[in-house]
Amino acid sequence: MTLDEVEVTRMILNRFYREFSSSLETDVVIVGGGPSALVAARHLAKGGIRTVVFERKLSPGGGMWGGGMNFPVIVVQEEGREELIEVGVDVSDEGGGYYTADSVEAASKLIAAAVSAGARIFNAMTVEDVVIREGRIDGVVINWSAVDVAGLHVDPVMVRSKYVIDGTGHDCEVVRVVERKVGNLNTPSGKVEGESSMWSELAEKLTVENTIEVYPHLYVTGMACNAVMGAPRMGPIFGGMLLSGRRVAEMILEREGA
Ligand code: 48F
């Protein structure tokens, strides 16, 4: 075989075209590829729901890679550790109900498991807006992250989906767009309540409780849940993130009868 550079280019374009064009109309778009999103993507895809993740950065995994203050270790509790064990992460029992894992192993295995389950992850793409039809979310508006970073004036394109999940973490970017353009969120004030200061125990419980449909067909998962509902942050403990990802997947799977 002789290697032809143009063939290499053609293969990249053809495969990308195939995969992107089959993702233009899908069941669920997840915005952000952090830990909660990756768990949600895996469960949804396993349940036969067509799931597409758009991640702004080159690497999905969000805030998990850096553990706590860049010490590459994460902590989970009893309830959360199952999600790590299921994807083959080595979890150490530290006693007293605390468990630890290597943050690099955890992030990479959550990504690999979501892809193996059938979720499609597009990296380096940013969701900048949503599509709303008849009072419900109908898809997202995306652009290359590089266009965004360079500040180029390039119009975005649109992907249609039955449901959108905001997994953008502290910034809850998708919900912020809906707040700005429409308002009327399913929160006490109808607006984003804003995250409060660190309180790990309460925050961990509330992340799961606050995993809600915040606007018709728009769900939140992970840290975005507490940011939207005015609950505290929790620091480098990840059980709540993983369980919120599972919860949002269960909500959609149930709704779809899957
Ligand atoms: O913040 P992030 O890790 O989400 P999470 O699942 O987890 C939070 C924890 O990492 C941590 C914590 C732990 O207890 O509090 O903060 O809630 O990941 C969010 C991902 O979304 C991407 C961003 O690059 C990151 O990888 N993202 C943010 N905005 C957009 C986006 C956007 N508009 N379009 C695409 N991706």
Side-chain angles (χ1 to χ4, degrees), residues 32 34-36 54-56 62-63 127 167 170 173 223 234-235 237 241:
S36 58
F54 292 110
E55 165 53 49
R56 167 181 282 148
V127 170
H170 296 268
E173 289 193 21
M223 196 57 222
M234 74 286 290
I237 179 147
M241 297 298 115

Side-chain angles (χ1 to χ4, degrees), residues 186-224:
N186 177 25
T187 62
S189 69
K191 297 186 173 150
V192 172
E193 304 295 336
E195 171 191 305
S196 54
S197 303
M198 193 179 291
W199 185 348
S200 303
E201 188 173 354
L202 187 59
E204 283 286 288
K205 285 195 193 104
L206 290 178
T207 313
V208 184
E209 273 175 38
N210 290 336
T211 303
I212 58 166
E213 184 178 16
V214 65
Y215 186 80
H217 291 233
L218 172 62
Y219 289 82
V220 273
T221 191
M223 196 57 222

Side-chain angles (χ1 to χ4, degrees), residues 56 126-128 143-154 173:
R56 167 181 282 148
T126 292
V127 170
E128 60 170 58
N143 213 330
W144 296 113
S145 301
V147 163
D148 209 30
V149 171
L152 302 177
H153 186 170
V154 178
E173 289 193 21

Side-chain angles (χ1 to χ4, degrees), residues 30-38 54-65 67 122 125-129 142 145 148 166-174 195 204 207 221-225 233-242:
I30 307 182
V31 186
S36 58
L38 292 167
F54 292 110
E55 165 53 49
R56 167 181 282 148
K57 297 193 174 145
L58 272 178
S59 316
M64 191 171 248
W65 297 104
F122 291 106
M125 291 192 195
T126 292
V127 170
E128 60 170 58
D129 203 348
I142 60 168
S145 301
D148 209 30
D166 184 338
T168 64
H170 296 268
D171 297 331
C172 55
E173 289 193 21
V174 183
E195 171 191 305
E204 283 286 288
T207 313
T221 191
M223 196 57 222
C225 303
R233 65 185 305 183
M234 74 286 290
I237 179 147
F238 281 80
M241 297 298 115
L242 307 175

